[in-house]
Structure formats: structure tokens, C-alpha cells
Amino acid sequence: MKIFSCTPERSNPLRVYGLLPYYDGEGFSKCHKSILEAIPRIAGLGSRSCGGRICFRTNAKTLTLHMTLAYVCYDIGISTYGCSSADIYIGSRPNAVFAGLLNPPGDMREKSGAAAVRTLPLTGEWQDITVVLPRNETVTAFSVEIDDDADIAPPTPYRNERPVVFYGSSITEGGCPTRVGCNYVSLLSNRLNIDVINYGFSGNARGDLRFAEYLLGADPSIFVYDYDHNAPTPEALAETHEPFYRRIREARPDLPIIMMTRPDFLCDEDAARRRAIVRQTYENALAAGDRLVRFIDGGTFFPPALRRDCSVDTCHPNDMGFHYMAEAVAPHILDFLEAGIR
């Protein structure tokens, strides 16, 4: 059997997407240590592999995937399948299909060093494989095992050379679908064939200007942000939302920016105040002549008759809720991509 492991070398056919800077020898982290030290409250969340994808092509007839997690964490709102498991997709995007989970054994819950193994039968024809890494965990090792007469090659590239970067709350991070590939950022990546970076931070995305500067290091092609859920109060949101936009716009006058509000299940006064603050940032941008901004009202994501059925707790979307979110965001991203943004 041939074994291929993820290593930092760029020549490795196993390509890692969505994680910055790349596999660092200690784990697959979505944030560099420098920003985790600058904003300590996101240190644990930023060390996760959330949003990461390992992609390659193979002509194997039998494929075995090996993944090791630093720790398996309990999550009150998501099962092990949704928070500690990887999703496996076979085929070229946007037509890649879900083929199963790469999940740790049930008895490894709350234990360190959990190893997940999954063997899949394939056709022997060259095809793309995409593994969407777990939301809640840090992957410390990943390898692929194939037959001696088979081979592995780099994956078919995404349509965008520079990633679409998302910044937001636990919802952006992927809470709470049944599996990681069903959160709206992952759905958009597969359906639109786009590379993405998921800077979701449960409870801790609060519009830090230091993070606005940091995320520009990913050289985004489009930026999407919706952190209003994490602002402690509407007043705190008002103090940070427009300055966050301005910091990014000053650095990148050519960057399309999509401003969203949280999924609005309850439509209460607090949500209305927050929605008005985000809309005001958008209106001010338009008044200043910015034509690369979009606003999406989270209150319009879900069909009225299904609003409460789209949530697990009147806060976080379930699979159906994330489907409708992806449907609402996709046209705006496509508009920018088709306008030549790469």
C-alpha cells in the first residue's frame, strides 16, 4: 500500500485549503499564533481546524483515510457527527456528493488523541476527493492510503484564485447542522466551487480592528461578515461595525464586502436594533460612493411558515436553516465572481 501524509511542503498532492498559513507541524489551525496572542479570547477557537479542507485526486479502487484529533470535545448543540467528524465528498465541485463520515469512535469522546479511520471503495477512475475537517476539533495528523498500483495527484482547482473570507459568530463557524458539510459556508464552497476561509468564533467575534487587519493577510476575493450576534449590546455593535468596515475598505478599495445580519428567528426589538445598525453601515457606504457593498437582512433568510423549523434552539440554524442561508448568500457571491472578481 502507498501512504501519503499531509506535510508543509507545497509540492504535496494533498492540498490544504481554508487554513492559514498551512499545516504547521503541530496541527491544522485556521489562525496564526500571532493573532491568537493579540486577541487571547479567540485562542482556543482559532486553533481549531474549522473551515479546513483537504483535497486531492486519485485513481484508486480502495481509499483509506486516517485522521488524528488533538481532543474530542463535547458540544451541547451538535452531535459528534456534526462537531468532531470530517465529511468526505467524491467528485468534481459543484457536483461533488457526500460519501460518508470520517469520525472518531464513540468511546473516544472527551479523550485526547482520537484516531478516525474510514475505507471507501472507488471506481479506479481519476476523481476528486474533498475532506471537510471537523468544526470543533484540531486535526493533528492526516494521511491517505491507496493501492500500490494507484496514485494521487493535486485536486482540480477552485474557481477563485483568492478565497472568500467569512467572519462571524458560532453560526458562521458552523453551529448547528447534523454534519460539518451542511453549514452555510461549507455548502457555498461546494455548490459554487469556491475556496473559503471560515473565521467564525463562537461568542467571540466582536469586530476587533486588529482582526480586520489580520484577515486581509488572506488576500480575500470577497469578504462576508455577520458578527452582530456576538456584540454584547446593540451599542457595542454600533461602536465597532462601521469602523470594522472602514478599516477593511481603507486597505482594500477594490474588495467586495457583503454585510449580513444574524438569522432572525424571533424578530424581537434587540434584533431589530442590531439589524438597523448593520444597515446604517451599508447606507453610509453607499452614500460615500462605495458600489462594492451588499446588505443581506437575516430576517429574510427563511420562509415565514418554516422560520422556527429552521433552528435547533431559536438561535442556531439546523440543516434546513443553513440551506436557506446558502441560497440567500449565493447570488451575491456569484454576482461578484461573474463580474471578474477572482
Side-chain angles (χ1 to χ4, degrees):
M1 305 296 288
K2 293 180 180 178
I3 298 177
F4 294 78
S5 298
C6 274
T7 60
E9 288 77 21
R10 297 289 181 170
S11 59
N12 194 319
L14 303 182
R15 299 294 168 84
V16 180
Y17 292 93
L19 303 178
L20 203 66
Y22 190 60
Y23 175 54
D24 64 3
E26 297 180 7
F28 297 79
S29 172
K30 71 179 178 183
C31 288
H32 194 274
K33 292 177 182 178
S34 61
I35 193 65
L36 304 184
E37 293 170 354
I39 310 176
R41 71 170 184 276
I42 66 170
L45 299 170
S47 297
R48 293 174 170 180
S49 303
C50 172
R53 283 144 287 126
I54 296 175
C55 305
F56 57 94
R57 296 176 69 237
T58 185
N59 61 350
K61 292 184 178 179
T62 302
L63 173 68
T64 300
L65 304 173
H66 300 262
M67 177 178 71
T68 304
L69 306 178
Y71 200 81
V72 178
C73 303
Y74 172 78
D75 193 300
I76 191 171
I78 318 175
S79 73
T80 302
Y81 287 168
C83 66
S84 302
S85 304
D87 279 12
I88 307 165
Y89 288 83
I90 297 177
S92 300
R93 301 172 297 269
N95 300 311
V97 296
F98 175 64
L101 292 168
L102 179 58
N103 57 286
D107 61 357
M108 290 302 297
R109 199 167 181 78
E110 299 285 352
K111 296 182 180 179
S112 60
V117 180
R118 180 67 183 265
T119 298
L120 296 171
L122 300 179
T123 64
E125 301 294 326
W126 281 101
Q127 54 191 332
D128 278 279
I129 306 294
T130 301
V131 181
V132 183
L133 300 181
R135 174 189 187 266
N136 284 27
E137 317 300 350
T138 299
V139 175
T140 57
F142 189 94
S143 63
V144 173
E145 186 177 344
I146 58 174
D147 304 315
D148 286 331
D149 59 351
D151 211 343
I152 285 180
T156 302
Y158 285 100
R159 69 184 293 175
N160 54 329
E161 297 172 3
R162 292 151 41 219
V164 178
V165 173
F166 295 78
Y167 174 72
S169 67
S170 56
I171 295 171
T172 305
E173 194 174 24
C176 301
T178 55
R179 53 183 178 81
V180 67
C182 291
N183 73 68
Y184 92 95
V185 176
S186 293
L187 289 174
L188 288 169
S189 178
N190 187 36
R191 293 179 184 178
L192 303 184
N193 187 22
I194 56 173
D195 185 15
V196 299
I197 293 180
N198 186 330
Y199 287 135
F201 299 101
S202 296
N204 287 283
R206 299 179 186 174
D208 298 275
L209 294 183
R210 177 67 183 84
F211 201 87
E213 296 164 356
Y214 171 78
L215 68 83
L216 290 170
D219 191 21
S221 60
I222 300 170
F223 175 57
V224 185
Y225 75 126
D226 65 336
Y227 71 92
D228 53 327
H229 240 320
N230 286 175
T233 63
E235 291 75 17
L237 178 64
E239 291 172 0
T240 60
H241 194 272
E242 188 160 349
F244 196 90
Y245 154 75
R246 287 179 177 173
R247 183 63 58 90
I248 291 175
R249 178 54 77 227
E250 289 166 2
R252 284 287 306 275
D254 60 337
L255 177 65
I257 299 175
I258 299 174
M259 306 174 189
M260 290 168 46
T261 63
R262 68 194 194 190
D264 197 346
F265 295 102
L266 300 180
C267 303
D268 58 15
E269 181 179 351
D270 180 74
R273 291 178 63 193
R274 292 167 185 264
R275 184 164 58 250
I277 290 166
V278 176
R279 178 175 277 280
Q280 190 62 57
T281 300
Y282 169 72
E283 296 290 349
N284 291 347
L286 289 180
D290 192 338
R291 293 297 177 264
L292 289 175
V293 290
R294 298 286 179 90
F295 170 79
I296 306 177
D297 180 357
T300 66
F301 284 146
F302 314 119
L306 298 175
R307 184 181 304 276
R308 294 188 181 247
D309 293 332
C310 289
S311 168
V312 299
D313 56 4
T314 72
C315 175
H316 298 88
N318 54 24
D319 290 11
M320 182 164 63
F322 276 122
H323 163 78
Y324 283 119
M325 284 188 70
E327 290 290 296
V329 178
H332 298 278
I333 291 178
L334 281 174
D335 282 350
F336 285 129
L337 290 175
E338 291 171 358
I341 302 297
R342 290 293 181 269

